[in-house]
Amino acid sequence: MTFTRLRATLEFLGGERDDAPLLLSGKYAWVARCAVWMLAIVLIYFFSGQSSKFIYIDF
Amino acid sequence: MSKRPLLPLLIAAGLLLVAINAAMGIWSHRLPFRIKLEQIRASHDANIVFVGNSLLDGRIDHDILARTAKSRCASLNSVNAALGAVDPPEQRLLFNYARRLNPGIRTVVVGFFDFQLTASDNSRAVDLIGNRLVGVDRRFSAREVASAYNFGLVDRATMEILRWSPMAAYRGSAWKEVELLRRSMGTMGMPAVATNSMGRVSDFAGLEAADTQAFDKHAADFLDNLNQFNRSYEWIFDQAARSHTRVVLLLMPMSPYHRSAFYSRPAWPKYLAAIESLAAQRGYGVIDASEWIPNDDDFADHLHMTINASKGFTARVGSALTAMPDR
């Protein structure tokens, strides 16, 4: 993927542009959308414990 | 708006959940509580079990204890069920697991500090994280876990979800990695902070009373109503009584700082005397080891003695146990 496509994809995901890039509008766009949601879910999952106060870290 | 097929999305979402759960299940296979359960499973013919938290976890040298007992014509074959970062309900589960596997246990030693023996426990299923999740292991029935925590319907259902979903149960493993990243980034360009194998030394002050007034209040609350221990310990003591097992309460060694800040308060000797009196009424032994280790260097923080110091501690515990009457 060229830098331009990556930028277009990120801008679309961020709401900066309305026209979906090829990656997110082609025949297998659902795969790419799944990957985007998967990344979002994993990031949320990892960072959702920030309000926890850790004393022990060896578990 | 364009129409998108729903089925492939649902299938992909389902596969994603399965994949994350499988990954978390594999990733969490070597968690400390699982290692502890395996250590207990590997024990055999034990006649003494140690119960407690991180103050006792890894602080009993099996061989030194056995040698000390042998030199006094006694036999102490130990299983250490103490585990770091757990509360009394988890200690109850671990005790029961050790007892199931070692029916010959005739002494239970409960290591404690401050008000651990008498503090109430109101854990909810959502509070359980890290080693406190020992109850998700299939070695414990849902009924046993619910009983240990005195869970209601909602908490039982939550616990069942945790038992079936590694992604939910072991969320702490993922959070830990982020916390370690946050700590490493937070120390960039900053003076080094003291750490030990369990975390940052300064964080363990959070396990002590917030201030002396809070400490005094804990003591006063028990002295006003001094008739029972924490319900998990009461259960352990009840099981011990049924199997004619000797109960020994072991006040763990405390650092000079902790003794100076808290155990020198007038409230502490009164509280400890009340504990000893309650123990004497029931025929339990009490070992006060709080002053056994006078050197600050033998403590990893205010509360935890070092592994090196624990060798001498084990020998003294062995001597004290063999000097006690059986019941």
Side-chain angles (χ1 to χ4, degrees):
Chain A
M1 182 189 287
T2 64
F3 178 74
T4 310
R5 281 185 179 178
L6 174 64
R7 180 179 170 180
T9 304
L10 292 176
E11 284 179 350
F12 175 74
L13 292 172
E16 177 71 17
R17 63 168 66 199
D18 295 327
D19 52 322
L22 185 61
L23 183 68
L24 295 170
S25 60
K27 186 178 177 183
Y28 296 104
W30 67 274
V31 176
R33 288 174 191 272
C34 279
V36 169
W37 278 109
M38 180 172 144
L39 181 65
I41 288 169
V42 169
L43 286 175
I44 291 167
Y45 178 69
F46 268 76
F47 285 87
S48 60
Q50 283 298 285
S51 62
S52 301
K53 169 65 180 166
F54 287 86
I55 295 178
Y56 295 90
I57 203 73
D58 65 332
F59 59 76
Chain B
M1 180 184 289
S2 63
K3 288 185 179 177
R4 300 191 189 104
L6 180 62
L7 190 61
L9 287 174
L10 289 177
I11 292 172
L15 288 174
L16 172 63
L17 283 175
V18 169
I20 294 178
N21 273 292
M24 290 306 295
I26 294 167
W27 189 18
S28 306
H29 194 64
R30 294 293 293 167
L31 286 175
F33 81 77
R34 293 209 185 281
I35 294 172
K36 175 60 69 175
L37 287 170
E38 283 305 304
Q39 287 171 349
I40 295 172
R41 192 177 66 82
S43 66
H44 52 86
D45 301 329
N47 61 3
I48 178 169
V49 59
F50 288 87
V51 175
N53 55 24
S54 57
L55 274 66
L56 200 51
D57 186 5
R59 266 69 177 186
I60 293 295
D61 189 308
H62 178 91
D63 295 333
I64 291 176
L65 190 72
R67 277 202 304 272
T68 305
K70 193 175 180 183
S71 69
R72 292 164 176 263
C73 301
S75 169
L76 289 177
N77 184 20
S78 64
V79 52
N80 189 353
L83 178 63
V86 297
D87 281 357
E90 294 85 43
Q91 294 172 32
R92 163 180 161 170
L93 292 172
L94 290 165
F95 161 77
N96 203 32
Y97 183 55
R99 197 176 58 105
R100 280 205 302 262
L101 296 175
N102 295 278
I105 286 174
R106 288 294 171 266
T107 302
V108 55
V109 180
V110 178
F112 73 99
F113 80 111
D114 290 6
F115 308 107
Q116 179 186 329
L117 282 179
T118 53
S120 59
D121 183 78
N122 302 301
S123 297
R124 304 288 308 272
V126 293
D127 300 329
L128 306 183
I129 191 171
N131 286 347
R132 297 205 65 199
L133 277 162
V134 67
V136 303
D137 194 278
R138 294 285 164 189
R139 282 172 255 224
F140 305 104
S141 70
R143 189 175 177 180
E144 181 182 3
V145 174
S147 172
Y149 292 94
N150 201 23
F151 277 161
L153 201 60
V154 173
D155 284 310
R156 283 178 193 225
T158 307
M159 197 68 194
E160 205 54 35
I161 292 170
L162 293 175
R163 285 162 74 91
W164 282 100
S165 170
M167 182 182 169
Y170 306 131
R171 61 201 184 283
S173 298
W175 296 354
K176 181 187 83 172
E177 298 302 324
V178 174
E179 176 69 10
L180 288 172
L181 175 67
R182 192 177 71 80
R183 288 184 184 188
S184 68
M185 294 176 77
T187 55
M188 285 179 183
M190 300 296 287
V193 295
T195 59
N196 59 37
S197 63
M198 296 169 288
R200 289 185 298 218
V201 167
S202 57
D203 287 345
F204 289 94
L207 300 179
E208 300 177 295
D211 51 49
T212 50
Q213 284 75 24
F215 188 86
D216 291 347
K217 185 177 182 307
H218 270 293
D221 287 347
F222 177 70
L223 291 169
D224 289 343
N225 184 24
L226 41 81
N227 55 4
Q228 61 180 8
F229 297 101
N230 169 288
R231 65 179 293 276
S232 294
Y233 293 127
E234 288 288 1
W235 188 89
I236 291 172
F237 301 154
D238 184 52
Q239 297 302 310
R242 287 167 192 254
S243 57
H244 306 289
T245 298
R246 175 175 62 161
V247 174
V248 177
L249 309 179
L250 171 62
L251 178 55
M252 295 299 291
M254 286 290 114
S255 69
Y257 166 81
H258 190 84
R259 282 188 281 118
S260 162
F262 298 108
Y263 289 5
S264 63
R265 307 282 306 166
W268 178 251
K270 292 178 189 168
Y271 172 84
L272 190 56
I275 290 290
E276 287 171 336
S277 170
L278 185 56
Q281 286 172 29
R282 300 188 185 188
Y284 306 161
V286 178
I287 300 173
D288 181 357
S290 61
E291 297 182 9
W292 280 7
I293 302 179
N295 197 341
D296 250 335
D297 293 339
D298 288 327
F299 287 87
D301 50 59
H302 292 167
L303 302 173
H304 299 88
M305 72 180 116
T306 60
I307 299 297
N308 198 37
S310 70
K311 297 182 189 306
F313 162 75
T314 302
R316 287 190 72 171
V317 168
S319 299
L321 286 170
T322 50
M324 282 180 153
D326 281 346
R327 286 283 292 166

